[in-house]
Amino acid sequence: MYNSLWFDSLIKPPLAPPDSLFSPVWIFLYITIFVALVLYIRKSEEFKESGYIYFGIQLFLNIIWSPVFFAAKNIGAALFVIVLLDIFVILMVRKFYSVSRAAGLILVPYLIWILFATYLNAGYFLLN
């Protein structure tokens, strides 16, 4: 799926981290996302359905971003996907925080990383 020749040929935006940073960051983030979900599930609040919807949509968008960017090599479509992802992560963080402060706060690094990834995606789009 990952075409390193294509990706390596792209002009990288300023602040682009080394490729070796992505795996450890995502492992950490997936663990925090899971912990936040568990904390959210364990709260016995009413009206939590929207949080599950936001979680599901952001997970779907997170999963499809890589194939759109790397396999389809469609940087513009990937930018559209990641902007949608930003919106649903923000909605999820707000909803999780309203039910469980800890769940919402645990998601802040994910939100920051996704916003940084949006900057990178936009940079690749503009530079290539």
Side-chain angles (χ1 to χ4, degrees):
M1 177 163 79
Y2 181 102
N3 184 334
S4 63
L5 292 176
W6 171 77
F7 182 70
D8 291 342
S9 73
L10 297 176
I11 300 168
K12 296 186 182 347
L15 307 176
D19 294 345
S20 61
L21 182 66
F22 288 90
S23 288
V25 167
W26 275 111
I27 290 168
F28 168 76
L29 292 175
Y30 283 131
I31 291 168
T32 61
I33 293 165
F34 175 75
V35 169
L37 180 62
V38 169
L39 292 172
Y40 186 77
I41 290 169
R42 293 184 63 168
K43 285 289 188 175
S44 60
E45 305 284 326
E46 293 183 16
F47 309 111
K48 291 182 358 182
E49 294 81 12
S50 62
Y52 295 123
I53 292 168
Y54 300 149
F55 180 86
I57 293 171
Q58 71 78 31
L59 182 62
F60 171 75
L61 293 167
N62 187 313
I63 290 168
I64 68 165
W65 181 87
S66 288
V68 172
F69 188 94
F70 291 108
K73 301 176 189 170
N74 192 332
I75 301 170
L79 181 58
F80 178 75
V81 170
I82 204 165
V83 168
L84 289 175
L85 178 58
D86 293 338
I87 292 166
F88 281 96
V89 170
I90 290 167
L91 291 171
M92 180 182 68
V93 170
R94 288 182 60 202
K95 182 61 181 179
F96 276 37
Y97 184 84
S98 74
V99 171
S100 165
R101 287 184 61 158
L105 293 174
I106 288 170
L107 289 170
V108 170
Y110 176 45
L111 175 59
I112 292 168
W113 184 258
I114 290 298
L115 292 172
F116 178 63
T118 303
Y119 154 77
L120 292 174
N121 194 149
Y124 282 111
F125 181 73
L126 293 171
L127 295 170
N128 296 280

